[in-house]
Every structure is written in structure tokens, then in C-alpha cells.
Amino acid sequence: MLATHALVTPIPKLTALLSLSTTRSSKSSASVPGFINFYRRRRFCRVITSMAGAGSVCIDVAGESRSEHVTGKWFSVPELRLRNHRFIVPLDYSLNSKTSPKITIFAREVVAVGKEEQVMPYLLYLQGGPGFESPRPSEASGWIQRACEEFRVILLDQRGTGLSTPLTSSSMLQFKSAKDLADYLVHFRADNIVKDAEFIRVRLVPNADPWTILGQSFGGFCALTYLSFAPQGLKQVLITGGIPPIGKACTADDVYEAGFEQVARQNEKYYKRFPEDIEIVREIVDYLAASEGGGVPLPSGGILTPKGLQALGLSGLGSSTGFERLHYMLERVWDPILVPEAPKRISQFFLNAFENWHSFDTNPLYALLHESIYCEGASSRWSAHRLQEKIECKFNATNAVNESQPVLFTGEMIFPWMFDEIHALNPFKDAADLLAEKEDWPPLYDVTTLKNNKVPVAAAVYYEDMYVNFKLVMETASQISGIRLWITNEYMHSGLRDAGRQIIDHLLGMINGKKPLF
């Protein structure tokens, strides 16, 4: 049964509260075996003190011991106190703990000044991505400041990011073959991120009590994986712009089919806002297509082609200040003509700005694993690329120039050509192809468990979100028992960054009963 309760304010600021519930079946499905084995393999740990700070030593049945949790000393930024935690975890939880290779997971604990020893509930933050590290606070502000009023916040660097055995464009060169790298990367999805979180919770939280989690974007995907396979570790769940499609072996085609439609609408809005950019973008496409090799060299060694130019929409069309940043970047695309009859050239400023626009050089995991986050028992087969070919006439830059139409930017999509044209991704092209063809991806969600969910969940859903399609969100939400939705077009996907205090305050009010259903 779907119960809907809404509070609506006039457009353009639409705000709604929905309480969604589903009929609960009498029996929940079993959790994935990896999670069962994880709990069976928990070993006795005791707290120790080392030069690095407090930590834990794990003693197994054979009497062997090793430090698996080391805690650093407190340090300060304005109005906050922080300390670092490092955990040694298995790369592959399905293997025996002795035989699995180990990786380090880094988490930073954050509290308001003066609350270091105060007893408070824990809140784990799951960052968006995939492949991005948690924020590095420089002061008390935004959602972190609000959360620290009542929580001990844990900023987790998900495996492969930040200080958690980072998979960078240089560190991944250590692998001897594309297959070796691909086989390693399969362990860096939401299923193992959740197992890492549980590993940390039972060692960090007093009495291994359940904690609250906050998932932003891909972090919200991880939150649903958590609800599916380890709900006993959760007290309550907050999600911002991150409810994934579920229920199919691979939902990537659904995501990108809906995604291209939303991206087209965002392009229309952009060009209405900055109509002068229609001609500027067409002029750039014409210049690139006429250049030797179909593009111009980038400072890092890659090449800027019309397809690469269109990919600026990934960041430019979906965040609150993206339109402005993209426009200001295009304002400086050409070098001035200082000498009569000098050839026209794209400026070094623009080429540098283009390379800094994306984070493929610092966070290549995003490109390598992006489509796999939608896969459970089936391959993506470069879904975005296949679907774009079906609507090529709409997103073909050359055709748009020839027909005097606006050139459409693409959105949050990873294409195989990126591994040819972006220098930082070149070495990983073959591994990316292997991952795109991989079929035996393990499950990420359990629909039966979600339909029988008993953990309080509140989610901010952004009506015009370019990254997480509204229709697909609503289809999934209808299958999560007890979830409460706050639907708004006041914020874009970057809402947590732009208005974090207000959003966290609203979600906590919903989940704690301060925001009534009616």
C-alpha cells in the first residue's frame, strides 16, 4: 500500500513530503553469504595504546595478533576537533581472513569543540561517486556543523579513495595486466564498501551499537545496499539525491535512457540562460573538427575533440553553479589576435580549465566503475555509448553545426572513447573494456528485505536532478517500506553542499517526528 502525504509550496519552489510504505511480507529473504560469513569471522579484539594513539589488536584462534585499528591524536580546525582512524580489512571478504590480501580503510572522526569525550550517537557519511573521498573539513560549516550538534561524525574514505589504499592513475600502473587490474577492481563496489562500514562499526562504536548513516548521491546507493544486507547495523538512514534503480540484473540502460532525456532538458535551460553560447559552442566544434586528428592537444597529452567538449555537461549542467561556471569558461575559449593575420587558437586557459573540469586524473575509479554500480548479474556493455548511438542525431555535434542547431552537452555518462582521449585514462582502456563485459557481478540490493524494512529512512529527492532520475527514484521508493520522501525543486543534486545545514535539519526533523506527515 502506498500512502502519500504532501506539503506543497508554490512553484518554482515545490516542496513535498511523502511517506511511502509497502505491504510487508511475512518472511524476509536471507542476506548475501558474504555478509553472513563476515559476522561469523569476527574475532576478539581488545583496545591497546601505541605511539600512533589508541587502537585494537585482533587475536585469532591460533593466538596470532596484529593491529587492525589504529587511532590518531585529536587535532583542531576552527570549531571542530578531529582524529584519524585506520583499519586493516580484507580486500575480499569471501576469502578466509588469513588468505585475503589486505587494504587500509581510512576514516576521520569529527566532533564539535569540547565534545571529544561526550557520549553521542555516531553518524557515518557515505560520499558520492563512485571513486571519491570524503570531505576534508577546514572549519565548522554546512551539514558537518549541523550534524556535529548531535552526532559524532565519521567521514569515511571509501575503499580505493583518499587515504584508503587509493587507486590512482599512478598506483594502478603497478598491475602487470588489464585482467589483473580488472580482477582487483571488482572488490571496490557498494557491497564491499558496506562490509568495510560494518567492520568499522563493530570496532569503533561502543557496544557495537547501530549508527545513523548519511548517503549523498552514490553514497545513497550504498545506503540501500546497507539496508539490504546489514540492516542490523543501522539506527536510521538519511539520503540526499541518491536512490538507485533496483530490481533488474542491470539497470544501466534504464538510467541512461532517462538520463539523455533529462540532459536534453538541461541543455535547453542552459541555452535559454546564455543564448550567446549557442554560436560559441558551434564555433568551437567546427574548429576542433577541422583540426589535424579531429582535435587539439591538451596540456597533459590527451586530445580535445567535439565529443570531449560535449562532456563538459557532466559537471556543468547538474549542479547549482554549473551553468555559470560553464559560461565563464566558454567566455575565454579563444586567444586574442595580437598580430594581424595570426591564426585563431583555443586559449591555454581554456585547455587547462577543460582538464581541471573533470577529476579523471585524480579519481580514475569514477570512470572505471561508473556503469558497474548498476550491475547485478549482467554486464553494462558500455550502456551510455550504446544508447547514444540510438539517438545519435540528437547528440551529434557535427550534425548540429551543419544544421545550425545548438550542440548538446552530455551528462553523467562514461564513454569508451574517453579512455582514448583522456591521457590519465589511457593505460586503463583494456581493463575498462573487461569490466564493461563482466556479467557475474554480485547482488547490490535485496528487494524483499527492502519491502520489509524496519529502519527509519528519510530522503531528499531533487525533482530536476540530472544525475538521479526522478521517475526511477519514485519506482524504487515504492519498494522501501516506511521511507519518507522530501521532494523539492528548490535544490539541485548539489543540495547537500549548497544548503547542507537546512537539508540535514529537515531530514532529521522528518525522521525524528519533528516534521509531521500532514
Side-chain angles (χ1 to χ4, degrees):
M1 178 181 292
L2 174 64
T4 303
H5 312 277
L7 296 173
V8 181
T9 56
I11 295 296
K13 293 186 177 180
L14 164 70
T15 305
L17 284 172
L18 282 84
S19 175
L20 296 180
S21 61
T22 58
T23 302
R24 295 179 178 176
S25 62
S26 59
K27 186 176 181 180
S28 174
S29 65
S31 296
V32 170
F35 281 88
I36 297 173
N37 292 334
F38 167 75
Y39 283 100
R40 287 176 179 167
R41 288 197 303 270
R42 278 183 57 191
R43 296 167 292 173
F44 172 72
C45 297
R46 60 186 175 87
V47 176
I48 63 167
T49 301
S50 67
M51 292 180 65
S56 63
V57 165
C58 197
I59 304 174
D60 60 25
V61 292
E64 298 176 355
S65 65
R66 64 195 301 267
S67 179
E68 60 178 18
H69 174 203
V70 175
T71 305
K73 296 180 180 179
W74 290 104
F75 65 97
S76 299
V77 300
E79 299 184 45
L80 295 176
R81 293 280 282 165
L82 310 90
R83 64 177 173 181
N84 302 334
H85 297 269
R86 287 177 170 83
F87 302 85
I88 306 299
V89 308
L91 170 69
D92 183 352
Y93 283 92
S94 70
L95 299 178
N96 182 284
S97 59
K98 289 185 178 181
T99 59
S100 172
K102 301 297 189 293
I103 60 174
T104 298
I105 299 297
F106 174 86
R108 180 167 282 129
E109 182 179 358
V110 186
V111 298
V113 169
K115 294 186 176 182
E116 296 90 332
E117 304 304 323
Q118 185 172 324
V119 177
M120 290 185 295
Y122 282 69
L123 181 147
L124 173 72
Y125 176 67
L126 296 169
Q127 170 68 29
F132 285 88
E133 62 274 16
S134 261
R136 268 49 183 170
S138 58
E139 62 179 0
S141 62
W143 75 263
I144 291 178
Q145 183 181 39
R146 172 62 183 89
C148 283
E149 290 176 5
E150 54 188 281
F151 292 100
R152 195 172 289 272
V153 175
I154 305 298
L155 300 176
L156 173 68
D157 280 355
Q158 297 165 18
R159 52 171 52 201
T161 74
L163 293 173
S164 294
T165 308
L167 297 178
T168 65
S169 54
S170 55
S171 68
M172 287 191 292
L173 295 176
Q174 298 172 30
F175 290 93
K176 296 181 179 180
S177 71
K179 184 179 184 305
D180 288 346
L181 175 57
D183 289 345
Y184 193 82
L185 290 175
V186 300
H187 301 294
F188 287 78
R189 298 198 312 156
D191 49 351
N192 283 304
I193 292 170
V194 169
K195 291 171 187 174
D196 291 340
E198 280 295 272
F199 187 101
I200 292 170
R201 180 184 64 83
V202 299
R203 289 160 178 80
L204 184 62
V205 181
N207 304 313
D209 286 339
W211 53 11
T212 296
I213 61 172
L214 166 62
Q216 157 65 16
S217 190
F218 170 70
F221 290 28
C222 295
L224 256 64
T225 303
Y226 215 142
L227 280 168
S228 293
F229 301 124
Q232 69 283 349
L234 300 175
K235 181 180 180 182
Q236 50 192 11
V237 174
L238 310 176
I239 297 173
T240 57
I243 296 180
I246 61 176
K248 291 185 179 180
C250 183
T251 59
D253 282 11
D254 295 333
V255 168
Y256 297 121
E257 185 175 353
F260 277 115
E261 293 177 6
Q262 182 64 37
V263 170
R265 288 193 290 271
Q266 291 300 105
N267 273 277
E268 183 180 355
K269 295 175 189 175
Y270 177 79
Y271 285 128
K272 279 186 177 179
R273 181 93 170 270
F274 300 108
E276 64 272 30
D277 289 352
I278 294 176
E279 185 56 39
I280 291 174
V281 174
R282 283 201 295 244
E283 192 177 3
I284 300 171
V285 168
D286 211 23
Y287 179 90
L288 294 173
S291 299
E292 183 178 353
V296 299
L298 289 165
S300 70
I303 183 172
L304 173 60
T305 67
K307 290 182 293 187
L309 180 74
Q310 289 176 281
L312 288 173
L314 193 160
S315 297
L317 298 184
S319 61
S320 62
T321 59
F323 281 16
E324 292 82 3
R325 292 189 301 115
L326 180 56
H327 172 69
Y328 295 143
M329 181 178 169
L330 292 170
E331 280 185 332
R332 298 188 59 182
V333 64
W334 303 113
D335 269 340
I337 301 298
L338 306 178
V339 177
E341 299 183 4
K344 190 172 189 176
R345 288 187 55 175
I346 292 180
S347 69
Q348 192 73 9
F349 172 90
F350 184 85
L351 296 176
N352 282 321
F354 174 83
E355 291 206 305
N356 292 330
W357 190 261
H358 303 303
S359 302
F360 295 130
D361 56 339
T362 56
N363 299 81
L365 205 58
Y366 174 83
L368 283 161
L369 289 180
H370 190 265
E371 288 198 353
S372 78
I373 67 176
Y374 302 110
C375 297
E376 302 180 82
S379 61
S380 72
R381 298 182 296 115
W382 291 114
S383 175
H385 178 69
R386 287 187 291 102
L387 289 178
Q388 187 182 21
E389 288 183 332
K390 293 181 180 179
I391 53 172
E392 179 66 14
C393 57
K394 197 169 189 177
F395 282 85
N396 186 300
T398 303
N399 286 351
V401 171
N402 293 337
E403 297 170 7
S404 298
Q405 295 296 315
V407 174
L408 300 188
F409 296 101
T410 51
E412 191 183 32
M413 297 138 187
I414 298 298
F415 302 99
W417 57 260
M418 291 178 168
F419 291 83
D420 295 314
E421 298 182 7
I422 298 172
H423 180 72
L425 298 180
N426 287 166
F428 315 122
K429 176 180 174 60
D430 291 341
D433 285 333
L434 290 173
L435 292 170
E437 296 300 324
K438 180 179 171 62
E439 294 184 345
D440 58 340
W441 292 105
L444 294 173
Y445 313 107
D446 187 316
V447 175
T448 302
T449 299
L450 292 174
K451 286 182 176 179
N452 287 278
N453 171 60
K454 294 181 175 58
V455 179
V457 183
V461 178
Y462 307 124
Y463 186 74
E464 297 176 304
D465 198 326
M466 188 188 77
Y467 301 96
V468 182
N469 181 263
F470 177 75
K471 179 182 177 182
L472 297 180
V473 165
M474 297 305 289
E475 290 175 0
T476 296
S478 68
Q479 301 181 73
I480 306 171
S481 179
I483 189 172
R484 292 193 65 191
L485 301 184
W486 170 33
I487 301 172
T488 176
N489 70 348
E490 186 174 355
Y491 306 105
M492 297 183 73
H493 190 74
S494 55
L496 187 65
R497 181 184 67 209
D498 303 328
R501 168 172 279 278
Q502 295 93 315
I503 286 175
I504 293 301
D505 195 60
H506 195 112
L507 291 179
L508 287 173
M510 291 169 63
I511 213 165
N512 295 327
K514 294 181 181 179
K515 299 283 184 182
L517 293 177
F518 301 102

